[in-house]
Amino acid sequence: SLGFTYNINKKLMIKLNAARGYRAPNISEISAKGVHPGSGFQQLGDVNLKPEFTFQTDLGIFFENEHVSASAEVFNNMIANYIFNQKLIGLQGGDSIYIEAGNAYPVFKFIKTTAQLFGGEARIDIHPHPLDWLHFSNAVSFVYATNLGGNDAVINDSNKYLPFIPPLHTNSELSAEFLKSVGPFEHIFIKVG
């Protein structure tokens, strides 16, 4: 990875990073064959999976003064040989179903594709003076993950977006820290989120 941070002034800075990485397929992605007890579907591995290779860039801007801390960051991550679970389609066009001991299980297989994940997050923490013990924090983050295909994959509406990607996430929190100790207790705080 390579990155830099530039302080525009004492309150404002920007950062830029670029990174390259890889991840080898794990044993279940290569050798799975059977009903996965935790998910309730039949899982199939693929011995031909190759390591994932990624190139990510991210850019962030950060602001801080005595009353407010805020940041906004965006990232773009391109992944070759991205490994994920895909539901298999049966011969009749519906879901592929595996029957075992009278139970029906949908069939998923680990496959590889080229993927793009991009997104960002923004945060603001308000801690007004003279109320340093009081904080009001807010954050929002999202990831948008697209299946770009490759490896002979056909992209359509049902597999254009990668599965199991977290949705838009927000968090708000109001917290108060008591500066004085109470008997043996120190750094007592109350938090509502």
Side-chain angles (χ1 to χ4, degrees):
S1 67
L2 178 65
F4 78 90
T5 301
Y6 179 71
N7 292 322
I8 297 170
N9 56 43
K10 290 183 179 183
K11 297 178 182 176
L12 189 64
M13 72 173 183
I14 59 170
K15 74 169 187 168
L16 176 65
N17 294 299
R20 177 105 166 118
Y22 80 98
R23 181 188 74 87
N26 66 43
I27 193 70
S28 66
E29 293 168 339
I30 294 171
S31 65
K33 186 174 184 181
V35 176
H36 187 285
S39 62
F41 56 77
Q42 183 181 21
Q43 182 66 69
L44 301 175
D46 184 350
V47 297
N48 298 312
L49 292 175
K50 296 178 181 176
E52 294 177 337
F53 285 93
T54 180
F55 181 71
Q56 178 170 315
T57 54
D58 57 85
L59 174 67
I61 186 163
F62 303 85
F63 173 82
E64 187 164 346
N65 69 16
E66 60 185 352
H67 304 293
V68 175
S69 300
S71 66
E73 299 177 78
V74 293
F75 71 90
N76 184 52
N77 194 350
M78 297 296 297
I79 306 172
N81 300 319
Y82 179 78
I83 299 168
F84 71 104
N85 266 324
Q86 179 169 297
K87 187 183 275 191
L88 295 183
I89 304 300
L91 296 174
Q92 313 256 325
D95 292 344
S96 180
I97 301 295
Y98 171 72
I99 307 292
E100 181 179 286
N103 296 313
Y105 301 98
V107 181
F108 284 75
K109 182 175 182 174
F110 285 109
I111 67 166
K112 62 186 177 186
T113 190
T114 301
Q116 180 182 23
L117 285 76
F118 66 90
E121 71 176 15
R123 298 177 179 272
I124 186 165
D125 182 0
I126 302 168
H127 41 273
H129 281 295
L131 305 174
D132 291 337
W133 51 272
L134 183 66
H135 286 263
F136 183 50
S137 303
N138 294 282
V140 62
S141 62
F142 75 96
V143 177
Y144 188 79
T146 307
N147 182 351
L148 300 178
N151 304 310
D152 299 324
V154 175
I155 305 303
N156 56 40
D157 286 345
S158 66
N159 66 2
K160 179 179 177 182
Y161 303 103
L162 296 172
F164 308 116
I165 300 297
L168 176 72
H169 179 78
T170 61
N171 187 46
S172 289
E173 182 177 282
L174 181 62
S175 62
E177 182 177 352
F178 300 100
L179 304 176
K180 294 182 179 181
S181 299
V182 177
F185 301 105
E186 296 180 18
H187 303 289
I188 299 170
F189 68 90
I190 296 174
K191 194 185 294 189
V192 176

